[in-house]
Amino acid sequence: TTADGLDYAVDASLGATTLMATYHLPVGMRVSGGFLMSNTSINGSVSSGGGDTVGGFVIAHPFTVESKTEFANSISPMATFGFDIPVLGMVLSTDIGFVNTGGFDVTLTETTATPVISAVDATALSTAESTIESELSQYEYIPYVSLMLGKWF
């Protein structure tokens, strides 16, 4: 995708494994707690071939900045509440809860052979990382939703 003369690319990788302990309450309800081991990340890049004007500034030299965003906690605590509903000899299970991600870690790296951004401002990328992490800190707890159709034996 291109906007304002800059080329953007984003790629997301979603995945996790959970380890849960469940207490079954009467009438098909349950309370669960455990841990989510995440390998989820969002990777992106922004680049310019040079000569582009962005926000009134001319970018004289080509550059590329790559980003990686992932949960701050590689192992995150989680809690859920769920119930089972019998449906045509099967069971519909649903859970809702939260995962404590600990916020997000953001890494920005200029991959251009001759650094452009860090040559102008050595702290620009680390300042941007801190700003993005601060903005994402409101998502320390994210929702967890599960829906499953299964068969009991």
Side-chain angles (χ1 to χ4, degrees), residues 17-58:
T17 302
T18 60
L19 177 63
M20 304 288 288
T22 301
Y23 180 74
H24 288 268
L25 302 166
V27 296
M29 291 190 244
R30 68 182 165 276
V31 177
S32 302
F35 298 96
L36 180 134
M37 284 85 41
S38 175
N39 61 350
T40 297
S41 67
I42 300 172
N43 303 304
S45 67
V46 59
S47 60
S48 169
D52 297 316
T53 301
V54 178
F57 296 97
V58 176

Side-chain angles (χ1 to χ4, degrees), residues 83-95:
F83 57 92
D84 299 326
I85 303 169
V87 177
L88 303 171
M90 300 181 80
V91 63
L92 177 66
S93 292
T94 184
D95 288 278

Side-chain angles (χ1 to χ4, degrees), residues 2-149:
T2 301
D4 294 328
L6 299 177
D7 296 321
Y8 296 89
V10 176
D11 178 43
S13 172
L14 303 175
T17 302
T18 60
L19 177 63
M20 304 288 288
T22 301
Y23 180 74
H24 288 268
L25 302 166
V27 296
M29 291 190 244
R30 68 182 165 276
V31 177
S32 302
F35 298 96
L36 180 134
M37 284 85 41
S38 175
N39 61 350
T40 297
S41 67
I42 300 172
N43 303 304
S45 67
V46 59
S47 60
S48 169
D52 297 316
T53 301
V54 178
F57 296 97
V58 176
I59 300 171
H61 303 285
F63 78 90
T64 299
V65 174
E66 294 183 357
S67 67
K68 183 172 187 172
T69 304
E70 54 194 356
F71 290 172
N73 294 338
S74 59
I75 300 176
S76 301
M78 64 182 294
T80 65
F81 174 78
F83 57 92
D84 299 326
I85 303 169
V87 177
L88 303 171
M90 300 181 80
V91 63
L92 177 66
S93 292
T94 184
D95 288 278
I96 188 166
F98 67 89
V99 178
N100 178 351
T101 65
F104 290 86
D105 285 336
V106 176
T107 305
L108 300 174
T109 308
E110 189 171 10
T111 58
T112 311
T114 304
V116 175
I117 296 171
S118 53
V120 175
D121 183 352
T123 63
L125 292 180
S126 62
T127 300
E129 288 173 353
S130 297
T131 300
I132 296 167
E133 287 174 352
S134 177
E135 290 176 7
L136 292 176
S137 67
Q138 64 183 320
Y139 303 109
E140 182 176 353
Y141 292 91
I142 61 171
Y144 173 88
V145 178
S146 170
L147 183 63
M148 179 188 76
L149 182 63

